[in-house]
Structure formats: C-alpha cells, structure tokens
Amino acid sequence: MAISREQIEEVINKADMVSIIGEYVALEKKGNDYKGLCPFHNDNNPSLSVSPRKRCYTCFSCHATGNVITFVQNIEHISFTEALKKVANKSGVELNIKVDPMELKFNKYYKIMEEACNAYEFYLNNTDEGKGALEYLHNRHLNDDVIKRFRIGLSSGENN
Ligand code: ZN
C-alpha cells in the first residue's frame, strides 16, 4: 500500500488541527497558537503548544512534537496509515491509495495458504485422527492457545 507524499501533505494542510487535537485536549487560544495540557506526559501546567500556522504541535516539557497525523497516531496508539485515514476522513480528503502490484500478485497465494491452513486446522480439531494428534501436542506441552495462535493443523495421511 502506497500513499504519496503529496497526499499526506494535502491531509496535513486541509486538516483543522485545532479542532482535531481539540477532540482530545482542551485548547486555549494564546496569540497565534493554542495551549493545552500535554497528553503525552503527566502534565499539570499546560505545556502543549499547537501552532495551526506551522501545522505542528510541540510539548515544552516532554518534547513530543509532530503534525496532526502523528498526534492522532500517538494518542490512539494506531499506525501512521490508520491515523492518516482518520484525519483524511475528518478533513474531507479522499485518499488515493495505490495497492502495490506485488501485493496483488501474492494475494492469491495468501488466499491458498489461508484455505490450506483452515483445512488443516479443521482436520486437527474435528476428526478422530486429529484427536490423536491433539493428544500428542498436549503431551508435548503445547496448549490450546499456542495451537490456535500458531495455527497448527493436521494433514490427512491419505494426502501424503
Ligand atoms: Zn508533554
């Protein structure tokens, strides 16, 4: 997945950063900038400064700094792309996300892998042969969580 630098800049430029950051932090206008309690450290004396003119925020105590997208990314603990999508949505910017042709090329193989995985998991959990295999795994101290997480399955002996 690729998003052009121009699109990221468009989102940053069109976003109303004061109202978006204002959804998380109460901001008060001070001259050209806005001040509020910094959400990135334990702040009791407003040290977060939001500058719509410079399109950035800075905390004078913990030195957190960035743009409206990284603010949403950091406060919501989401990826940059997710934050970008959120801010783009709020700002009426339609993202033109290009899917990597390599990703498209491999998608069918991922699908095949997924289906094989499902079949092996099903075989492990729903057949008599699977019961024996599960017992073996439990004896090897693999618990059900691990079996699920690593998607351990069983291939029928008949296929070999
Ligand atoms: Zn701070």
Side-chain angles (χ1 to χ4, degrees):
M1 201 169 74
I3 299 160
S4 68
R5 174 164 282 278
E6 288 76 31
Q7 279 225 295
I8 295 171
E9 268 160 25
E10 188 191 349
V11 171
I12 293 172
N13 286 330
K14 284 199 180 155
D16 180 348
M17 84 180 299
V18 171
S19 92
I20 291 174
I21 293 179
E23 286 175 30
Y24 304 94
V25 181
L27 293 174
E28 207 182 311
K29 197 166 195 308
K30 287 263 160 81
N32 287 324
D33 297 344
Y34 291 76
K35 286 233 145 132
L37 289 174
C38 171
F40 302 115
H41 79 276
N42 194 1
D43 197 7
N44 41 37
N45 178 38
S47 35
L48 181 77
S49 170
V50 176
S51 168
R53 218 163 27 102
K54 291 192 220 149
R55 310 224 156 257
C56 75
Y57 68 87
T58 307
C59 170
F60 296 111
S61 292
C62 73
H63 306 294
T65 181
N67 57 49
V68 62
I69 300 168
T70 57
F71 184 93
V72 172
Q73 176 187 8
N74 291 329
I75 202 162
E76 295 217 7
H77 304 287
I78 55 181
S79 72
F80 181 82
T81 311
E82 281 173 284
L84 174 71
K85 282 183 191 164
K86 261 194 175 189
V87 177
N89 249 336
K90 289 180 198 218
S91 313
V93 177
E94 213 165 302
L95 291 177
N96 169 24
I97 297 171
K98 286 189 220 104
V99 178
D100 186 344
M102 283 303 263
E103 215 174 291
L104 275 183
K105 191 175 153 198
F106 289 119
N107 262 350
K108 65 179 174 202
Y109 300 114
Y110 291 137
K111 258 195 196 135
I112 294 167
M113 287 269 289
E114 176 65 28
E115 269 168 34
C117 223
N118 284 337
Y120 294 143
E121 279 180 320
F122 181 85
Y123 202 79
L124 178 69
N125 291 302
N126 297 283
T127 62
D128 285 341
E129 208 180 339
K131 246 182 228 160
L134 266 179
E135 226 174 84
Y136 169 79
L137 290 172
H138 290 152
N139 287 337
R140 295 287 303 269
H141 305 293
L142 293 173
N143 63 33
D144 291 332
D145 280 349
V146 172
I147 293 168
K148 238 193 199 155
R149 184 141 56 96
F150 292 98
R151 307 198 61 184
I152 295 170
L154 179 69
S155 158
S156 155
E158 288 155 31
N159 293 339
N160 294 334

